[in-house]
Amino acid sequence: QVQPVESGGGSVQAGGSLKLSCTFSEYSSSSFCVAWFRQAPGKEREGVATIDREGATTYADSVKGRFTVTKDNAKNTLYLQMDSLKPDDTAMYFCAADHARIFGYICPSTPDYKYWGQGTQVTVSS
């Protein structure tokens, strides 16, 4: 059973940085798509970044150049480095995972993943 657990959220002023972590209880880097999503109050959950089996990444336009997604396969851990944070980045952040074959080996930025963490809150003040 894959059970993601996020950590690293908090409150920061605009322009600041945070680094989120997501650890998986079971994870196969050669088989899984992993991704970060966020959801602000009253808004739909949106994809922030994905990383595939080979380490290729995609980003939402709103975070390109500011956020960096990485993974440490030896530690079963996914990271999201968030720099130059803006108040619009305020949201609950979730990590997600699923078998890459489910998606035809193209990791989606839509919330179609099977395994989800409980979320970690990020609040950016102006």
Side-chain angles (χ1 to χ4, degrees), residues 78-123:
L78 177 71
Y79 302 99
L80 185 68
Q81 176 67 44
M82 304 185 294
D83 299 317
S84 302
L85 282 161
K86 304 175 182 180
D88 284 348
D89 296 319
T90 296
M92 185 72 79
Y93 283 72
F94 301 87
C95 64
D98 207 339
H99 295 279
R101 68 179 184 275
I102 299 296
F103 306 123
Y105 299 98
I106 299 174
C107 301
S109 58
T110 52
D112 297 318
Y113 291 72
K114 179 177 181 180
Y115 304 104
W116 290 86
Q118 81 288 350
T120 185
Q121 179 67 37
V122 171
T123 302

Side-chain angles (χ1 to χ4, degrees), residues 31-108:
S31 302
F32 276 75
C33 286
V34 287
W36 287 99
F37 289 81
R38 65 185 182 186
Q39 188 167 19
K43 294 187 177 181
E44 294 186 352
R45 190 167 297 190
E46 65 170 344
V48 175
T50 70
I51 186 165
D52 72 9
R53 301 174 302 149
E54 298 178 350
T57 58
T58 66
Y59 295 94
D61 288 344
S62 58
V63 306
K64 280 182 182 177
R66 300 188 298 120
F67 290 12
T68 304
V69 61
T70 57
K71 61 178 180 175
D72 185 331
N73 295 329
K75 296 182 178 180
N76 287 358
T77 301
L78 177 71
Y79 302 99
L80 185 68
Q81 176 67 44
M82 304 185 294
D83 299 317
S84 302
L85 282 161
K86 304 175 182 180
D88 284 348
D89 296 319
T90 296
M92 185 72 79
Y93 283 72
F94 301 87
C95 64
D98 207 339
H99 295 279
R101 68 179 184 275
I102 299 296
F103 306 123
Y105 299 98
I106 299 174
C107 301

Side-chain angles (χ1 to χ4, degrees), residues 6-28:
E6 303 96 337
S7 62
S11 297
V12 65
Q13 289 190 328
S17 298
L18 283 173
K19 187 173 185 177
L20 306 183
S21 299
C22 176
T23 301
F24 299 90
S25 57
E26 291 184 19
Y27 170 70
S28 172

